[in-house]
Amino acid sequence: MKMLVNMRDVLKAADENLYGQGAFNANSVAQIKALVEIHEELRSPAIIQGANLANGFMGGCIDFAKCTLEDKKKGAKNIGDAVRKYAENSKVPVVLHLDHGNDFDACKAAIDGGYTSVMIDGSSLPYEKNVELTREVVKYAHERGVSVEGELGVLAGVEDDVFSEKSSYTNPLQALDFFKKTEVDALAISYGTMHGPNKGKNAVIRKEIAIAIKEIMRHEGIDGFLVSHGSSTVPQYIVKEINELGGDITNAYGIDVNQLVEVTKSGINKINVDTDIRLATTRNVRELFKNRPELKNVQYCDEIFNLLETNPKVSDPRAYLHPIMDTIMYGNVPNEGVAEIVREVELAVKETVGTLIVKFGSVGKMPLVKTHTLCEMAEYYNSRK
C-alpha cells in the first residue's frame, strides 16, 4: 500500500522549482475522494487538509464549534482512513495535514489518527508561549517522522475557531528566531491575506515580507518553508450564481489569484484554500435542487433543502449537509438522491481545486517530489539534533 508522505518532501520540490503548492481543506469523504482524483488527473502533488474543527465534525459532532477531544480523535481517524483509502493506489504523493491545531492534544490526536503533518497555531499567544507550545509539538511529531507548521503574526478574519479583528504582520527577524528555536518545517506568516470569504475587495499582499523572511533564512542556512493562509480567491462568478439561486452572500471577496502566483516566486511555497470549495459546493447543491425539484421529497435531501432555504446566507456545507452524516463520515450513500448530492460535492472540489492547481503551476510536478517514509523522516530529524 502506498504510504502518505511528510509535507517537507512536497514543499521542497515547490521551493526548488518555484511553483505554488496548493493545500485544500476537506470536511467529508466525498471531498477527500475528489481531491485525490483531481490531483491524480493533473499529476500534481497533493496536500489534503483537515482543520482542527473538521476533525470534530468528522467525528460526528454537528455543532463542531463545541467538539470535544474525543470527537477530534474519532474524526482524525475517519479522515485518515478515507485519505489512505483513496491515496493507496495513487501515483501522486499525498500529504494529510492538520490545519490550525490549537493545542498539543489536537495535534497528537491528528498524528495518532494518521496525519503526516500538523499545524500548531500559537499565533494568538505571547511570543515565548508560542515558541514553547510549538517546540512541544515539534518534539512529538518529529519523533514520528511527521512535519510541523507553525504560525507567527495574526491574520484577520474568521475560519472555524480562528478569529481576529485585526492583522499583525510577521516580523522577518522574529521569524528567523522562531525557526531556530522551534525547528518547525514550515511557517505560516501574516502578510496581507485574511481568513474567511470577506477579505476586502482590493486586498493586497505585502510580498516584501515573504521576500525578506526567505532571504534571511537563506543567509542563515535555515531549511524551511513559508505558508500563505487565508488565500482563497472567492470566485465572483460562483458568488453571483449562489445569489441567483436564492442565496444571500454579500461582501465576499478573495485574494487575486495573480498575486498568489506572484508570491510563489517570492518565497511562499504552500497556499491554503478552503472558502472556494465551500462556495462551489453551495452553488452546486442549490443548482441541483433547482434542476431536480423532485429531490426535495427524497429522504435526507428534503432536510438539506430546508436548511438551505431557511439559511440563505450560509456558505459552509457543514451547516446544511449534516442530515447525511453517515455519508459525510464514512461515504455510505443511502439513496439515489444523496448520490446526486455527493456527485455535486465532488464536482465542486474538482472545479475549484483543478483551476488553482493549474494557476499555481503544480500541474505535472509529481515526478519532482522525492518521497521518504515516515521512519526515514524520523531518522532525518534525529540526525539534525
Side-chain angles (χ1 to χ4, degrees):
M1 182 176 74
K2 183 181 176 69
M3 303 301 292
L4 306 181
V5 301
N6 177 300
M7 190 168 71
R8 173 172 283 274
D9 288 338
V10 170
L11 295 189
K12 185 175 180 63
D15 189 46
E16 291 177 347
N17 295 280
L18 298 179
Y19 63 85
Q21 175 63 53
F24 303 100
N25 287 52
N27 293 282
S28 68
V29 170
Q31 289 180 330
I32 290 167
K33 174 177 178 287
L35 281 169
V36 172
E37 289 177 350
I38 191 62
H39 283 86
E40 284 182 322
E41 290 167 16
L42 297 177
R43 292 174 63 84
S44 169
I47 299 177
I48 297 174
Q49 298 193 146
N52 186 41
L53 296 190
N55 282 340
F57 183 67
M58 284 289 282
C61 182
I62 294 172
D63 188 4
F64 50 87
K66 299 178 181 178
C67 63
T68 65
L69 180 59
E70 290 306 309
D71 293 326
K72 293 177 186 178
K73 288 178 179 178
K74 183 179 178 182
K77 184 179 185 304
N78 287 340
I79 290 176
D81 288 348
V83 173
R84 284 189 295 275
K85 174 183 176 181
Y86 292 107
E88 65 178 349
N89 296 314
S90 174
K91 294 184 294 185
V92 301
V94 178
V95 178
L96 176 55
H97 178 73
L98 175 67
D99 190 24
H100 287 291
N102 63 341
D103 56 28
F104 175 83
D105 288 337
C107 292
K108 182 179 183 298
I111 294 169
D112 295 349
Y115 280 67
T116 56
S117 184
V118 295
M119 180 202 180
I120 177 64
D121 183 359
S123 61
S124 63
L125 300 173
Y127 179 69
E128 291 302 331
K129 291 289 186 182
N130 187 1
V131 169
E132 182 182 347
L133 174 60
T134 304
R135 287 179 65 179
E136 182 184 16
V137 172
V138 166
K139 183 178 186 298
Y140 185 83
H142 281 185
E143 286 174 351
R144 290 155 180 80
V146 171
S147 50
V148 179
E149 174 186 325
E151 181 163 352
L152 193 58
V154 178
L155 272 69
V158 180
E159 180 183 319
D160 284 359
D161 55 345
V162 181
F163 169 77
S164 178
E165 291 185 357
K166 296 180 179 179
S167 294
S168 61
Y169 291 124
T170 303
N171 180 326
L173 293 175
Q174 197 173 58
L176 174 66
D177 186 67
F178 192 83
F179 266 111
K180 287 182 174 180
K181 287 181 176 176
T182 64
E183 298 185 340
V184 287
D185 299 274
L187 181 64
I189 64 171
S190 175
Y191 71 135
T193 56
M194 290 179 63
H195 287 128
N198 309 118
K199 305 180 195 303
K201 192 170 185 179
N202 299 301
V204 177
I205 291 175
R206 292 188 60 187
K207 66 177 182 179
E208 62 270 22
I209 295 175
I211 293 170
I213 295 172
K214 199 68 174 182
E215 286 302 315
I216 294 171
M217 290 170 64
R218 287 175 180 139
H219 187 270
E220 294 293 316
I222 300 296
D223 184 17
F225 310 98
L226 299 183
V227 177
S228 181
H229 278 230
S231 300
S232 288
T233 64
V234 188
Q236 291 303 292
Y237 77 94
I238 296 179
V239 174
K240 180 174 181 288
E241 288 173 325
I242 290 173
N243 291 338
E244 289 173 347
L245 290 162
D248 184 20
I249 308 297
T250 59
N251 192 34
Y253 300 99
I255 303 298
D256 180 358
V257 71
N258 295 315
Q259 290 191 61
L260 295 172
V261 172
E262 186 177 2
V263 297
T264 65
K265 311 295 189 288
S266 305
I268 295 294
N269 309 121
K270 172 174 172 272
I271 303 172
N272 285 18
V273 174
D274 185 5
T275 301
D276 294 9
I277 298 170
R278 297 185 186 192
L279 290 169
T281 301
T282 300
R283 186 272 318 271
N284 280 13
V285 176
R286 283 188 173 278
E287 189 174 61
L288 176 65
F289 282 119
K290 178 184 178 183
N291 294 337
R292 297 282 307 281
E294 69 275 13
L295 293 179
K296 300 173 189 176
N297 300 314
V298 175
Q299 187 180 19
Y300 305 115
C301 298
D302 54 352
E303 296 177 67
I304 293 170
F305 173 76
N306 288 332
L307 285 167
L308 270 176
E309 283 295 289
T310 55
N311 295 279
K313 295 183 181 295
V314 73
S315 60
D316 186 344
R318 291 173 294 185
Y320 56 83
L321 289 182
H322 56 76
I324 53 171
M325 284 304 292
D326 195 49
T327 306
I328 296 290
M329 295 166 63
Y330 304 111
N332 300 323
V333 179
N335 58 48
E336 183 54 35
V338 173
E340 292 280 350
I341 289 173
V342 168
R343 277 192 282 272
E344 295 301 330
V345 170
E346 293 178 4
L347 287 172
V349 170
K350 291 185 175 182
E351 174 188 350
T352 50
V353 172
T355 299
L356 292 175
I357 289 173
V358 173
K359 292 281 190 181
F360 294 163
S362 66
V363 174
K365 298 301 193 295
M366 174 190 75
L368 299 179
V369 179
K370 309 304 179 188
T371 61
H372 301 81
T373 67
L374 296 189
C375 288
E376 289 172 335
M377 291 307 300
E379 292 176 3
Y380 162 76
Y381 291 127
N382 188 55
S383 72
R384 299 196 313 180
K385 293 179 180 178

